[in-house]
Amino acid sequence: MRIGRAELYCGDAYELLPALGRFDALVTDPPYDFKATGGGEFRKVRGGMDQIVAEGLDCGFDIKIIDPLQFSSVIVFAHNDQLHRLLPHLAGMFRRYAVCIWRKSNPMPVANRHYQPDLEFYVHAWLEGFHPDGAMVEKRRSWDGKAAPRKDFNHPTVKPLDLMRKIIVNTAGNSVCDPFMGTGTTGVAAIEKGRRFVGIEHNPRHFETACRRIEAAA
Ligand SMILES: C[S@@+](CC[C@H](N)C(=O)[O-])C[C@H]1O[C@@H](n2cnc3c(N)ncnc32)[C@H](O)[C@@H]1O
């Protein structure tokens, strides 16, 4: 589906991506790879976690899609437990990388022997000439804010639009691709900034939400 400067595909990212050509930036929040069991006494109030498991958003993604032959820069969200695989991959292929954090003021409650999930990580990696591009204030490596309520779009891991706006401003170039676009938050931020956007989502319900949001932004 084409909406203004956005091209949106409902389908499998691994099948569709190879035919889509080259982009200035991959900006994506793929399924995390982590242990979604537990939660203790708080599990019953963590409906979001049950939806995460039901939709396979705890099963990770194939890191090989992050390919500098297709993307000149990459911003990818990752769970704490994925960083040890992601960072060597990025360091080996890109000129530099920076680990950035979103400090979440409303993390899901936990009652186990781990830290609270109040930090989310994203890593920005770039080739020569595609370094972070925003104004000084946009180049802070931390951002504070609340997670969007699940009920807004019936999706358990929607990223805050203001965070995605800050991220898009820091990507050099014009074209942005999000092959795991969910409800389309990356696309909304990209279109608002006048970028060309290509998004892929395999869940038809989330795809429809993304189309609706991106159409409103366009
Ligand atoms: C973490 S969510 C992204 C949420 C998004 N950042 C937002 O703000 O709405 C990851 C999304 O990737 C989708 N997904 C998972 N595997 C996929 C695949 N192979 N192809 C396309 N989409 C996929 C899931 O359905 C999910 O909506």
Side-chain angles (χ1 to χ4, degrees), residues 9-13 16-17 20 178-182 198-202:
Y9 296 89
C10 186
D12 181 60
L16 294 168
L17 251 188
L20 293 180
D178 183 353
F180 301 102
M181 79 172 159
V198 174
I200 308 174
E201 169 58 48
H202 71 178

Side-chain angles (χ1 to χ4, degrees), residues 9-16 28-32 55-57 60-61 77 153 155-160 164 178-186 200-203 206-207 213:
Y9 296 89
C10 186
D12 181 60
Y14 303 106
E15 283 174 18
L16 294 168
T28 197
D29 169 28
Y32 286 180
E55 296 193 13
L57 300 183
F61 75 109
F77 281 83
F153 301 113
H155 190 294
T157 66
V158 176
K159 290 294 172 279
M164 298 316 297
D178 183 353
F180 301 102
M181 79 172 159
T183 64
T185 317
T186 308
I200 308 174
E201 169 58 48
H202 71 178
N203 179 316
H206 300 323
F207 180 77
R213 294 183 74 200

Side-chain angles (χ1 to χ4, degrees), residues 5 23 89 163 176 185 189 214:
R5 294 165 68 82
F23 296 89
H89 183 73
L163 170 60
V176 174
T185 317
I214 290 168

Side-chain angles (χ1 to χ4, degrees), residues 24-102:
D24 296 321
L26 168 70
V27 179
T28 197
D29 169 28
Y32 286 180
D33 187 356
F34 70 107
K35 211 161 131 270
T37 52
E41 62 188 274
F42 289 112
R43 181 77 192 196
K44 56 184 175 300
V45 298
R46 296 170 70 195
M49 195 54 84
D50 291 339
Q51 193 179 354
I52 283 171
V53 174
E55 296 193 13
L57 300 183
D58 57 341
C59 295
F61 75 109
D62 185 349
I63 207 169
K64 290 204 281 295
I65 67 152
I66 303 178
D67 182 349
L69 292 175
Q70 188 165 28
F71 306 107
S72 302
S73 69
V74 169
I75 293 185
V76 58
F77 281 83
H79 190 272
N80 180 77
D81 299 355
Q82 278 169 291
L83 290 174
H84 69 287
R85 284 192 301 273
L86 183 62
L87 295 181
H89 183 73
L90 295 174
M93 291 190 306
F94 290 86
R95 176 169 151 68
R96 293 201 66 183
Y97 72 81
V99 179
C100 305
I101 55 168
W102 162 27

Side-chain angles (χ1 to χ4, degrees), residues 25 40 48 55 74 108 115 128 130 139-140 160 183 201-202 208:
E55 296 193 13
V74 169
M108 280 191 199
Y115 285 99
E128 184 73 41
F130 286 84
K139 284 203 267 203
R140 294 215 175 117
T183 64
E201 169 58 48
H202 71 178
E208 258 182 45

Side-chain angles (χ1 to χ4, degrees), residues 115-132:
Y115 285 99
Q116 281 219 4
D118 59 337
L119 290 185
E120 292 221 10
F121 302 93
Y122 60 94
V123 188
H124 189 169
W126 58 92
L127 296 176
E128 184 73 41
F130 286 84
H131 49 80

